[in-house]
Amino acid sequence: MKGIVLAAMDEEVYEGLSDNEIFADLFNGALFGGKQVIRPDMLEQENEKKVVRAGREGGRRVILRRIRDVQKLSVIRDSCLAVILAAEGQRTVHYAMPVRCMLYDAIDYTGQVEHIVRERKEEGKLKKGAEYLSGMKREDRLLPGITIVFYYGEEQSWDGPLSLHDMLDIPPELKPWMECIQDYRINLVCASTVESSNFRTGLREVFELLPLLKDKEGMKEFLEARKDEFMHLDAKKGWLVSKFLNVPALKGLKENEKGEVDMCTAIEEMMEEREERGILQGIKRGEVRVNQLIEVLLQQPCQEEAYKEIRRAVTDREYQKKLFDEFGI
């Protein structure tokens, strides 16, 4: 049986999040407690490619280029307001995430300012002084932006910084004036920061399953308790779960005439394959270490003594462990 990689492929995850229903559900469930603040019909696709001029360096214009993972514009129609929503997907912890998000958001806001400045200059109605200098009028406003950091790694334990302050080496003398040092907090979304019942799409099942990927018994108990539900799971929910788990047994599921899929067996097979793969990897790592130990022992001047130690090392596990520690293998 071939081994499988349980880490989600970024491209497939982004494909799932690009769906307006799922994208809206991510924000509603993660940030708004399940309240339907953002509706799928409010969303318009935004260009994820960001380009902004950042002054000059050495006489040459500096251009910043960044690509968002998924970004949409939400028009809140009742009040005719809009907000820029962006989701940064992370399969692994990013130790500079606050700075990364800060840069993305700054580029978005800078782009809005440049757009307003261009429009005002085309109108040719800016007054001399502050308006002419800034290229904007006092009443001009920017669209607010909300960025989510969606962590879907198998570990589900984010040990990285959650704010800019977490990344700074602040001298003790400045501690009393921390509020003077600008902070930037990220909106981290993972299984431990959300309530799965707040989601309406397959994200609910995603957040329920992710923490169990390394817990075979926990997964078994979970499926037993929810057996009927997962044997008749909505096909679109199953499709989204398959994107995040990236398991062939899930991706190959066929929906029945009711538009349902049976995921129980597929998930159980996934866990069995994962365990087998772990055992095989353990065996392989053990073989590599033994081979390294034999190579080290063979470098000893007395070959006869080396062969004796090799024979003892492959038959006496305690002695083998002692040699691993001694030679740092």
Side-chain angles (χ1 to χ4, degrees):
M1 185 179 292
K2 293 182 179 180
I4 56 174
V5 178
L6 290 181
M9 296 300 291
D10 294 340
E11 294 81 1
E12 295 197 340
V13 169
Y14 301 156
E15 179 187 352
L17 293 180
S18 294
D19 181 284
N20 281 356
E21 182 184 9
I22 295 168
F23 190 86
D25 192 41
L26 175 63
F27 279 81
N28 291 330
L31 299 186
F32 309 133
K35 186 177 180 181
Q36 301 304 291
V37 176
I38 306 297
R39 297 194 311 271
D41 64 333
M42 293 177 173
L43 298 173
E44 300 174 7
Q45 188 65 37
E46 280 268 283
N47 185 4
E48 289 93 355
K49 295 181 179 180
K50 303 296 174 182
V51 179
V52 65
R53 292 183 294 275
R56 294 181 178 274
E57 183 177 295
R60 301 180 62 182
R61 186 178 295 279
V62 177
I63 304 294
L64 293 179
R65 292 182 175 86
R66 293 293 185 273
I67 300 178
R68 288 274 201 181
D69 290 341
V70 183
Q71 179 166 311
K72 295 178 184 288
L73 177 70
S74 176
V75 179
I76 304 177
R77 297 183 178 179
D78 292 343
S79 58
C80 297
L81 297 177
V83 60
I84 298 172
L85 305 175
E88 296 299 319
Q90 285 299 128
R91 184 157 47 92
T92 56
V93 176
H94 195 303
Y95 293 119
M97 205 68 209
V99 171
R100 179 178 169 185
C101 288
M102 182 172 63
L103 177 59
Y104 283 151
D105 290 345
I107 289 176
D108 277 336
Y109 287 129
T110 301
Q112 289 188 59
V113 169
E114 290 182 343
H115 178 74
I116 292 174
V117 169
R118 283 196 301 269
E119 287 191 336
R120 292 305 187 193
K121 286 184 176 180
E122 289 174 2
E123 292 174 357
K125 297 180 180 180
L126 290 173
K127 298 177 182 178
K128 292 182 178 180
E131 284 190 3
Y132 190 82
L133 180 65
S134 61
M136 297 176 64
K137 294 187 176 183
R138 185 176 61 182
E139 62 268 23
D140 286 331
R141 294 293 181 269
L142 306 179
L143 300 181
I146 303 176
T147 297
I148 276 180
V149 177
F150 187 4
Y151 177 49
Y152 51 89
E154 186 178 334
E155 295 292 338
Q156 282 299 287
S157 177
W158 181 276
D159 63 352
L162 295 174
S163 71
L164 181 60
H165 276 190
D166 291 342
M167 298 180 63
L168 301 180
D169 187 8
I170 301 174
E173 294 81 1
L174 291 181
K175 295 287 186 180
W177 294 278
M178 286 283 289
E179 68 274 8
C180 298
I181 303 173
Q182 297 296 335
D183 198 6
Y184 200 87
R185 182 181 59 85
I186 65 173
N187 294 309
L188 179 66
V189 175
C190 61
S192 63
T193 66
V194 301
E195 176 56 56
S196 61
S197 60
N198 288 336
F199 298 91
R200 298 186 177 187
T201 67
L203 287 173
R204 173 179 296 186
E205 286 72 22
V206 167
F207 284 119
E208 290 173 335
L209 292 171
L210 278 175
L212 299 174
L213 287 178
K214 286 195 169 184
D215 182 2
K216 182 181 178 182
E217 291 304 314
M219 180 70 82
K220 185 176 180 181
E221 293 176 6
F222 173 82
L223 292 177
E224 186 61 34
R226 305 271 293 277
K227 188 171 184 179
D228 185 65
E229 177 184 342
F230 276 85
M231 286 181 66
H232 304 280
L233 194 66
D234 175 78
K236 186 172 182 179
K237 288 186 174 183
W239 171 80
L240 186 62
V241 172
S242 74
K243 295 292 183 186
F244 279 85
L245 300 186
N246 191 36
V247 180
L250 295 178
K251 294 181 179 180
L253 289 177
K254 302 296 182 182
E255 62 182 275
N256 59 24
E257 63 279 1
K258 296 181 180 180
E260 301 171 339
V261 291
D262 178 2
M263 297 191 69
C264 279
T265 302
I267 293 177
E268 289 170 353
E269 289 179 0
M270 172 191 77
M271 298 302 287
E272 292 294 336
E273 290 187 5
R274 182 185 185 280
E275 185 176 46
E276 287 187 16
R277 184 170 180 266
I279 292 172
L280 290 174
Q281 287 179 335
I283 293 173
K284 186 175 181 180
R285 283 196 297 268
E287 291 175 346
V288 170
R289 292 180 75 196
V290 169
N291 289 338
Q292 289 175 338
L293 178 60
I294 291 173
E295 288 181 9
V296 171
L297 293 175
L298 285 175
Q299 293 175 8
Q300 297 185 56
C302 179
Q303 291 296 300
E304 184 177 347
E305 186 64 28
Y307 292 138
K308 285 181 181 179
E309 289 202 11
I310 291 173
R311 280 194 296 270
R312 183 179 175 186
V314 297
T315 57
D316 186 339
R317 295 297 296 275
E318 288 300 319
Y319 185 63
Q320 183 184 100
K321 185 177 182 302
K322 176 177 176 295
L323 291 178
F324 281 153
D325 293 338
E326 181 180 338
F327 293 110
I329 298 175

